[in-house]
C-alpha cells in the first residue's frame, strides 16, 4: 500500500498504486488536464505561468502533470518573423 498526498486538497490517503489525486478530486484532476491539453493545442509554446494565468490553474499543478509524465517538455526554437 502507498501513502499518497492529493495534489488538489492535500489530503493523505492510502491506495494500492502510486497516484496524485484522491477519489474526491479525480474528476477535478481530469478536467484540469483536459483544459491544459486543449490550451496547449492552440498555443503549443506556452509555459506553466502562461497556462496558469489563462486557465486559472496553479502553475504548481501544471508542473506536477509534467512530473507525473502526463505532459512532456519540448525545447522549441524561436525564429524571427519576416516583416
Amino acid at each position: 500500500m502507498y501513502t499518497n498526498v492529493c495534489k488538489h486538497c492535500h489530503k493523505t490517503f492510502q491506495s494500492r498504486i502510486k497516484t496524485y489525486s484522491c477519489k474526491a478530486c479525480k474528476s477535478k484532476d481530469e478536467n484540469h488536464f483536459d483544459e491544459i491539453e486543449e490550451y496547449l493545442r492552440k498555443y503549443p509554446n506556452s509555459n506553466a505561468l502562461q497556462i496558469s494565468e489563462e486557465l486559472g490553474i496553479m502553475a504548481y499543478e501544471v508542473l506536477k502533470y509534467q512530473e507525473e509524465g502526463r505532459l512532456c517538455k519540448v525545447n522549441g526554437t524561436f525564429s524571427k518573423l519576416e516583416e
Side-chain angles (χ1 to χ4, degrees):
M1 286 296 247
Y2 288 96
T3 301
N4 303 303
V5 177
C6 180
K7 67 180 172 186
H8 299 285
C9 65
H10 307 291
K11 182 173 67 174
T12 304
F13 63 98
Q14 298 279 327
S15 69
R16 291 183 182 182
I17 60 171
K18 181 73 175 160
T19 184
Y20 296 96
S21 57
C22 65
K23 289 181 182 180
C25 296
K26 185 95 172 136
S27 65
K28 180 179 182 179
D29 188 55
E30 290 172 1
N31 289 339
H32 282 185
F33 184 77
D34 290 344
E35 289 175 18
I36 292 168
E37 189 177 38
E38 184 178 324
Y39 183 80
L40 287 173
R41 288 186 196 281
K42 288 182 184 177
Y43 308 102
N45 292 326
S46 300
N47 62 35
L49 289 176
Q50 292 168 326
I51 295 168
S52 174
E53 289 175 1
E54 186 65 31
L55 300 178
I57 297 171
M58 293 186 343
Y60 164 81
E61 274 187 65
V62 178
L63 295 174
K64 201 69 172 161
Y65 287 124
Q66 183 180 1
E67 185 180 302
E68 293 170 17
R70 293 175 74 181
L71 292 176
C72 62
K73 181 179 177 181
V74 177
N75 292 326
T77 60
F78 293 97
S79 57
K80 186 175 181 180
L81 296 175
E82 294 180 25
E83 295 180 25

